[in-house]
Amino acid sequence: PKWHLEQYPTSAHLAARMLYTAESMYSDICDSSVLDLGTGAGMLAIASAMMGAGHVTAVDIDPDALAVCRENLRECECEELVDLVHADLG
């Protein structure tokens, strides 16, 4: 993590609860468009793709974080399902 970018990991438990709630209570994942701002390693983007999101876009200001995300997408065989964007949205 880079402190000046306020990077911190999202725990697997928190990510799972967030996505479970978004889908079970609001039907906001399956067949939906998902935007993961500050994607970091891509945990939420990858999980959304695996849950059947219609389209996933993952955005981060840090090219190093996007490189990690890209590798995680490859390992999870999801690289075709998530668009990565390098951008400063601040």
Side-chain angles (χ1 to χ4, degrees), residues 8 26 31 41 47 53 60 64 81:
Y8 47 88
Y26 306 104
D31 296 324
D60 208 291
D64 296 331
L81 304 174

Side-chain angles (χ1 to χ4, degrees), residues 44-85:
L44 296 173
I46 292 166
S48 295
M50 290 178 154
M51 291 176 66
H55 182 81
V56 180
T57 301
V59 181
D60 208 291
I61 190 173
D62 183 5
D64 296 331
L66 288 173
V68 171
C69 183
R70 189 173 287 109
E71 181 58 32
N72 289 340
L73 286 164
R74 270 188 227 121
E75 287 182 21
C76 294
E77 299 179 359
C78 292
E79 63 267 41
E80 305 283 325
L81 304 174
V82 178
D83 291 326
L84 297 179
V85 177

Side-chain angles (χ1 to χ4, degrees), residues 28-39:
D28 277 348
I29 304 292
C30 191
D31 296 324
S32 295
S33 293
V34 174
L35 177 61
D36 183 4
L37 298 174
T39 194

